[in-house]
Amino acid sequence: MWQLIEEARKNRELIWALAMKELHVRYKRSALGFLWALLNPLLMMIIYSIVFSAIMQQSIPHYSIFLISALLPWTFFSQSLSYAVESIVGNGDLLKKVYVAKSVFPMAAVLSNIINFFFSMVPLILLLVVFRFPFHWTWFYFVVPFVSLVLFTLGCSFFLAVANVFFRDMAHILQVILQAWFFLCPIVYSLNIIPSRYRLLFRLNPLIYPLNGFRLAIYYGMLPTPQSVIASLAGGLFVLWLGYLFFRRYQDTLVFYV
């Protein structure tokens, strides 16, 4: 883990440059440019609200805010993995020409989506203002679930970036996994509607803890239990350690397969 921190410190300027390049490439041919970082979560929130409001609206006040409070971190997670899985393969020509720490590519993919995430917070703030929803003091807490989510995302990114080099179908499989994973997370629904006998299975989902942390802080104005905080941070650190360990094992051979 210290080696990962040292790599990030030594290559921080390159990571930043790659993240900026990725954002530029992502939006350079679009008419609205960076505005899509604001519009994408807002449009998705509108679509899901229309589809699910008939089911959920009666039991969940301000359903649009309830939804977007967990949809934003999910969007960060899913987009980070979608870009990270192609990060090594997409920079194969660069890897063959110059020596560079391979870990910078998945880190840059996650960093670009961290920047995108903070832009996407604007629609949430606008919704709170429009609906006159209170700004809870627990907003300060959302840094904790965000850190745990970044750790978890980075660990998954390291694993997927390497796996995609050796198994090119991984990028396509990931999209199927993300679609299924979305509905296994309490994003469009509350965990309370799940029958009690199935809740333990849902709690095995590591994403529940950071997503619930966001929703508690933003929507409910509450703090999670200490056990939930520990589970969230410990899960994120463990997945980061595991993903980076896998990455380190194969990184020296990646250049021969990209």
Side-chain angles (χ1 to χ4, degrees):
M1 295 299 293
W2 285 114
Q3 188 168 2
L4 172 60
I5 295 172
E6 188 65 16
E7 281 186 1
R9 187 188 66 81
K10 287 182 178 179
N11 297 283
R12 60 187 181 277
E13 293 182 2
L14 177 59
I15 294 170
W16 178 260
L18 288 170
M20 292 297 101
K21 174 190 172 185
E22 188 168 303
L23 287 173
H24 177 71
V25 170
R26 188 183 307 185
Y27 297 115
K28 71 175 181 178
R29 294 189 180 275
S30 64
L32 297 178
F34 275 97
L35 283 176
W36 279 113
L38 312 181
L39 291 174
N40 183 54
L42 190 60
L43 293 174
M44 292 304 297
M45 182 273 296
I46 292 172
I47 293 170
Y48 284 125
S49 293
I50 292 173
V51 173
F52 290 97
S53 60
I55 304 172
M56 304 291 183
Q57 193 73 37
Q58 293 181 354
S59 59
I60 302 179
H62 298 291
Y63 179 68
S64 57
I65 297 172
F66 172 88
L67 174 61
I68 202 171
S69 64
L71 184 62
L72 288 180
W74 166 264
T75 302
F76 158 75
F77 172 73
S78 60
Q79 288 187 347
S80 294
L81 296 194
S82 297
Y83 282 91
V85 71
E86 298 281 4
S87 61
I88 300 292
V89 173
N91 290 281
D93 292 336
L94 178 61
L95 286 172
K96 292 176 181 177
K97 292 177 182 177
V98 295
Y99 176 79
V100 61
K102 285 79 172 177
S103 60
V104 301
F105 299 109
M107 282 194 280
V110 174
L111 176 59
S112 67
N113 283 285
I114 290 175
I115 297 169
N116 212 55
F117 171 80
F118 284 108
F119 276 111
S120 69
M121 290 293 288
V122 175
L124 172 59
I125 295 172
L126 291 176
L127 276 175
L128 295 179
V129 173
V130 168
F131 289 105
R132 298 181 179 179
F133 195 83
F135 284 84
H136 300 294
W137 68 269
T138 49
W139 265 70
F140 293 104
Y141 169 77
F142 97 84
V143 175
V144 176
F146 184 66
V147 168
S148 68
L149 183 60
V150 169
L151 295 174
F152 183 80
T153 304
L154 193 55
C156 294
S157 298
F158 282 129
F159 174 81
L160 291 169
V162 172
N164 192 51
V165 172
F166 299 106
F167 185 58
R168 297 300 171 90
D169 290 334
M170 182 57 67
H172 304 287
I173 294 172
L174 174 64
Q175 298 308 313
V176 177
I177 293 173
L178 287 174
Q179 289 179 27
W181 205 343
F182 175 84
F183 290 103
L184 291 175
C185 295
I187 299 172
V188 298
Y189 58 86
S190 171
L191 191 61
N192 293 331
I193 71 170
I194 304 299
S196 57
R197 62 181 180 276
Y198 297 125
R199 285 183 192 174
L200 180 60
L201 293 176
F202 273 78
R203 294 187 186 280
L204 295 177
N205 179 357
L207 275 182
I208 278 185
Y209 301 100
L211 294 181
N212 191 53
F214 274 93
R215 180 165 283 159
L216 283 173
I218 295 170
Y219 180 78
Y220 290 107
M222 298 169 58
L223 295 178
T225 62
Q227 295 90 335
S228 179
V229 175
I230 293 171
S232 181
L233 291 172
L237 283 169
F238 176 73
V239 171
L240 176 59
W241 172 77
L242 203 62
Y244 186 63
L245 192 67
F246 181 79
F247 187 90
R248 289 286 302 172
R249 180 173 182 179
Y250 293 102
Q251 69 170 351
D252 293 332
T253 62
L254 296 178
V255 70
F256 300 112
Y257 295 93
V258 292

